[in-house]
Amino acid sequence: MSVMIHSSHGIKIYRHRFHLWLIILALFVPLALLFWLGRLGAATNIELLTSLALSLSRLILAYAISLIIAVGLAVAIGGTRLGTLLLPLFDLLQNVPSFALIPVFVLLLGYTNTMAVTFAATANIWPILFYVLNAIHLARAELNEAATIFGATGSKRIWHYLIPLSFPAI
């Protein structure tokens, strides 16, 4: 029974080897099932791998877009009065089920890669936004004062204080 520890913060990720095998099975069993079902449907392995690569690229692009939008928005409004006013609106928008927006996206964008990426981005944006806003709000007053004392204002404050502060949340 070996224990893997994440080096940066000492959290035990896998308590037993069984947990690691469970993760491996959770990743590879669906993939094997996908290839098996694809063979039943007369799809070739190349077609399946191409479709899988396309789906993965859509998800990566959607995550990157949602990360840029959510972090940018959180850093821009995180410590402001506007952020306090917009927080209930964001909370309301977060509770709209993503799947309820699919017909709207299909009507606006058609059934395209853009629609799929937009759908995935809208599903990913809210957790990132709220985690980063939470990290900014939980920053200790000493850190805010130290950043100000060392001249972190404007874009310096964003790049050298707020964004690194939100890395654990991201």
Side-chain angles (χ1 to χ4, degrees):
M1 280 200 233
S2 67
V3 176
M4 297 179 137
I5 296 179
H6 193 278
S7 62
S8 67
H9 45 71
I11 294 176
K12 294 179 182 178
I13 298 174
Y14 305 110
R15 297 196 184 274
H16 304 285
R17 208 171 282 229
F18 170 74
H19 294 141
L20 183 61
W21 283 109
L22 189 64
I23 295 296
I24 290 171
L25 283 175
L27 292 174
F28 289 111
V29 168
L31 191 60
L33 184 64
L34 176 72
F35 279 103
W36 181 71
L37 289 173
R39 300 301 286 171
L40 289 177
T44 65
N45 287 343
I46 298 298
E47 290 172 337
L48 290 172
L49 285 174
T50 303
S51 298
L52 188 63
L54 180 62
S55 293
L56 185 62
S57 66
R58 286 176 185 158
L59 286 175
I60 291 170
L61 180 61
Y63 184 74
I65 290 169
S66 61
L67 186 67
I68 290 168
I69 291 171
V71 171
L73 190 60
V75 166
I77 66 167
T80 65
R81 187 169 178 83
L82 179 64
T84 306
L85 293 173
L86 289 176
L87 196 60
L89 175 66
F90 292 152
D91 192 32
L92 179 71
L93 291 173
Q94 174 194 12
N95 290 317
V96 173
S98 299
F99 290 104
L101 298 174
I102 290 177
V104 175
F105 291 148
V106 170
L107 285 174
L108 293 175
L109 303 169
Y111 190 70
T112 61
N113 285 331
T114 305
M115 187 277 304
V117 169
T118 304
F119 167 71
T122 57
N124 288 333
I125 199 167
W126 303 114
I128 299 168
L129 177 69
F130 283 108
Y131 280 126
V132 173
L133 281 173
N134 190 38
I136 291 171
H137 285 142
L138 291 178
R140 294 188 308 223
E142 303 91 43
L143 293 176
N144 284 323
E145 290 172 9
T148 304
I149 289 170
F150 286 111
T153 58
S155 65
K156 276 187 178 181
R157 185 173 194 82
I158 292 171
W159 288 107
H160 297 291
Y161 174 64
L162 291 175
I163 290 178
L165 179 73
S166 60
F167 277 161
I170 295 171

